[in-house]
Amino acid sequence: MNTLHSHDASATVTDRRAARSVTRSAGSVLGALLGLILTTASVSTSAQPVMDNPEAGQPTADTRPLPINEVRMFAEALEAIRSAYVQDIDDQTLIEYAIRGMLAGLDPHSAYLNANDYDSLQESTEGQFGGLGIEVGEEDGYIKVITPLDGSPADRAGVMAGDLIVEIDGRPLREMIVNDAIEMLRGEPGTTIDLTLMRNDESEPIDLTLTREVISVESVRHRMLEPGYAYLRIAQFRVNTGEEVVKALETLIGNNGGPLNGMVLDLRNNPGGVLEASVAVADAFLTDGQIVYTEGRMNESNETYQATASDPSQGVPLVVLINTGSASAAEIVAGALQDQGRAVIMGTRSFGKGSVQSVLPINNERALKLTTSLYFTPSGRSIQAFGIEPDISVDEALVTRSLERRGIYSERDLEGHLPGVNENSDPEPSGPRPVTSSEQIVVSDYQLNEALTLLKGWHIMQRSRR
């Protein structure tokens, strides 16, 4: 006899007669399910609907025999829930729950998308949405921060790549589906949300209260670090990121009055994005050879992407910065430039997301975001669960420039010193010397400083060989 246990006097015992009734009902549900599955299989072999994602392709019909026993078990579980669960839940909701669970069991990046989920996905790859600006994934049943987006509420509050979100508004997130957590993080601009985080180097949970904002992702930013040395930051790979990078290169080279001495390409805390955008960015720095290739079970998932001959970067010496928040499309760019010997990769090991997701519509309003292929760098490396190892490992840190010390003398300060050849043409600055200046107390980006120093040394060596 099957017994449902409870902690109060209202516990209910399910007798054999009820169990037989559920079994008979499950038989009818099984027949309906088999008919639906066979009908769907027949339609899938005769129709090839156009995919919203042109790279996704259409899955081919599976010729393996239908797992009747497993389908029967699912039908029995479905009918048991329909007839015995404490609340009445409509069949559509139950089926959606089942599909969500099936996708969640595959990997952290596959998911079932209802109409709202699909709209959210479009927003995140095309520009604006309301929320905190956090890219998240799943790890050991918890929601893990891949990276906060530049300038977002999460970034300003100090949320860091690698943090585990254990509670949202007091609700524990253990074993929560990633899409459900994302839905909780997003909301109307101006509303607040409480997060509880766990961090590797902190013994106690971190409690934060953040205010949601309209997140407008600025994909590409650029500036001159010093005359001849440029900085190019890519925060996320969106549909037009490749075009934005080419325009930024033209602007930087034009403002410099000619070819640059060096450039830092900053891909730190870049969660990835659109595959084709990463290919376009890598192509802006490469003139030939392979950029990336993908392998999957569908023919459409096996793609090879090659560089074109144009070179908007004009061969500028390049250092690429990565860290544990650099994922997916960012790793494609770093891996291609590393394998082709086009750039020095500096920083810390990247996140290690080496899979490609395609959106497969299953009707007009719902779709599957499904992992359909793995990608490989030009040398054949799969970075899945490993990441890109930098050529020069530099930990993230802050650099404080030391104050100039008083009482330090040079030869020219000694009375009666022999005058130098150029001493008269390089007079001592007149006026009192300030004890400190604003530049001397600047706290700056250590990895960026190291990249700039490397580029300067690179330029000096090239110049001396001419």
Side-chain angles (χ1 to χ4, degrees):
M1 180 176 292
N2 296 324
T3 305
L4 301 177
H5 297 282
S6 177
H7 294 292
D8 57 33
S10 61
T12 302
V13 176
T14 304
D15 60 16
R16 289 188 180 88
R17 182 170 52 190
R20 284 195 299 269
S21 175
V22 168
T23 302
R24 286 195 298 270
S25 298
S28 63
V29 172
L30 175 61
L33 278 174
L34 287 175
L36 178 60
I37 291 171
L38 291 173
T39 302
T40 303
S42 174
V43 170
S44 69
T45 58
S46 60
Q48 297 292 323
V50 177
M51 294 305 202
D52 287 353
N53 178 359
E55 299 301 321
Q58 175 72 11
T60 56
D62 197 333
T63 58
R64 289 178 298 183
L66 195 66
I68 299 297
N69 290 335
E70 285 74 14
V71 173
R72 179 179 290 109
M73 180 172 61
F74 174 79
E76 291 175 356
L78 176 63
E79 183 55 33
I81 295 170
R82 293 172 73 192
S83 59
Y85 186 63
V86 65
Q87 294 178 338
D88 183 33
I89 302 178
D90 64 89
D91 291 346
Q92 178 180 332
T93 300
L94 289 175
I95 295 297
E96 286 198 359
Y97 286 166
I99 297 173
R100 284 183 184 274
M102 182 166 55
L103 270 294
L106 297 177
D107 62 70
H109 309 292
S110 294
Y112 170 75
L113 305 177
N114 59 26
N116 291 333
D117 296 331
Y118 188 72
D119 288 342
S120 297
L121 179 64
Q122 292 293 100
E123 290 170 354
S124 65
T125 57
E126 293 180 3
Q128 285 193 345
F129 52 92
L132 304 177
I134 306 177
E135 182 79 14
V136 298
E138 186 271 338
E139 182 176 281
D140 297 330
Y142 289 104
I143 303 302
K144 181 176 182 178
V145 176
I146 298 176
T147 186
L149 301 180
D150 288 354
S152 65
D155 183 38
R156 297 195 301 271
V159 177
M160 299 176 64
D163 287 348
L164 295 179
I165 304 176
V166 295
E167 288 185 7
I168 297 178
D169 287 334
R171 177 181 172 182
L173 301 190
R174 179 71 175 170
E175 304 297 345
M176 179 177 284
I177 296 173
V178 173
N179 271 23
D180 292 342
I182 293 174
E183 193 67 25
M184 294 179 67
L185 292 171
R186 292 187 172 184
E188 288 296 318
T191 58
T192 60
I193 183 173
D194 295 325
L195 299 184
T196 301
L197 310 175
M198 294 296 294
R199 188 171 294 164
N200 281 337
D201 55 357
E202 298 287 343
S203 58
E204 297 294 327
I206 301 170
D207 293 317
L208 297 173
T209 298
L210 293 85
T211 301
R212 297 181 178 93
E213 297 178 3
V214 173
I215 306 299
S216 181
V217 181
E218 188 178 6
S219 177
V220 178
R221 292 185 284 116
H222 60 85
R223 69 177 190 271
M224 297 299 296
L225 296 171
E226 292 183 9
Y229 297 93
Y231 173 83
L232 183 63
R233 163 73 178 157
I234 303 177
Q236 186 178 17
F237 288 90
R238 299 208 318 256
V239 174
N240 297 323
T241 298
E243 297 174 11
E244 293 178 29
V245 166
V246 171
K247 290 178 181 177
L249 289 170
E250 293 173 351
T251 300
L252 289 167
I253 293 172
N255 292 344
N256 191 58
L260 297 162
N261 297 332
M263 174 177 286
V264 178
L265 176 61
D266 190 352
L267 300 179
R268 293 173 297 178
N269 296 326
N270 182 319
V274 180
L275 170 63
E276 289 75 16
S278 70
V279 171
V281 169
D283 189 27
F285 297 95
L286 296 170
T287 56
D288 59 20
Q290 194 176 72
I291 294 175
V292 66
Y293 67 94
T294 62
E295 292 184 351
R297 295 174 60 200
M298 298 188 298
N299 290 334
E300 294 84 352
S301 297
N302 300 314
E303 295 281 353
T304 298
Y305 298 88
Q306 300 286 138
T308 60
S310 63
D311 185 15
S313 73
Q314 298 186 14
V316 59
L318 190 63
V319 174
V320 179
L321 293 178
I322 62 172
N323 65 1
T324 188
S326 307
S328 190
E331 294 172 295
I332 289 177
V333 173
L337 297 176
Q338 185 179 52
D339 282 3
Q340 296 277 22
R342 178 62 181 86
V344 174
I345 311 300
M346 180 181 288
T348 57
R349 182 184 292 181
S350 63
F351 184 77
K353 180 182 178 294
S355 59
V356 180
Q357 282 69 46
S358 299
V359 176
L360 308 176
I362 52 179
N363 65 20
N364 292 333
E365 294 184 346
R366 295 170 177 81
L368 306 180
K369 187 179 76 167
L370 190 66
T371 299
T372 53
S373 59
L374 297 176
Y375 68 76
F376 298 83
T377 69
S379 66
R381 289 184 296 164
S382 171
I383 66 162
Q384 176 61 27
F386 182 78
I388 298 291
E389 190 72 34
D391 300 307
I392 302 176
S393 181
V394 179
D395 289 332
E396 297 182 58
L398 295 177
V399 163
T400 305
R401 295 176 184 171
S402 61
L403 303 180
E404 186 175 325
R405 292 184 295 168
R406 289 179 290 182
I408 302 299
Y409 301 99
S410 67
E411 173 69 15
R412 72 186 300 166
D413 297 314
L414 299 178
E415 186 176 352
H417 69 274
L418 292 173
V421 175
N422 299 319
E423 185 169 342
N424 292 332
S425 62
D426 184 24
E428 183 76 15
S430 60
R433 179 180 299 173
V435 176
T436 62
S437 68
S438 59
E439 290 81 5
Q440 290 172 325
I441 58 175
V442 168
V443 178
S444 56
D445 184 333
Y446 178 54
Q447 291 174 322
L448 180 56
N449 270 337
E450 291 292 287
L452 180 58
T453 300
L454 176 60
L455 287 170
K456 288 180 176 178
W458 193 342
H459 178 63
I460 291 170
M461 291 297 294
Q462 286 183 326
R463 187 176 57 188
S464 65
R465 291 171 181 169
R466 292 170 186 164

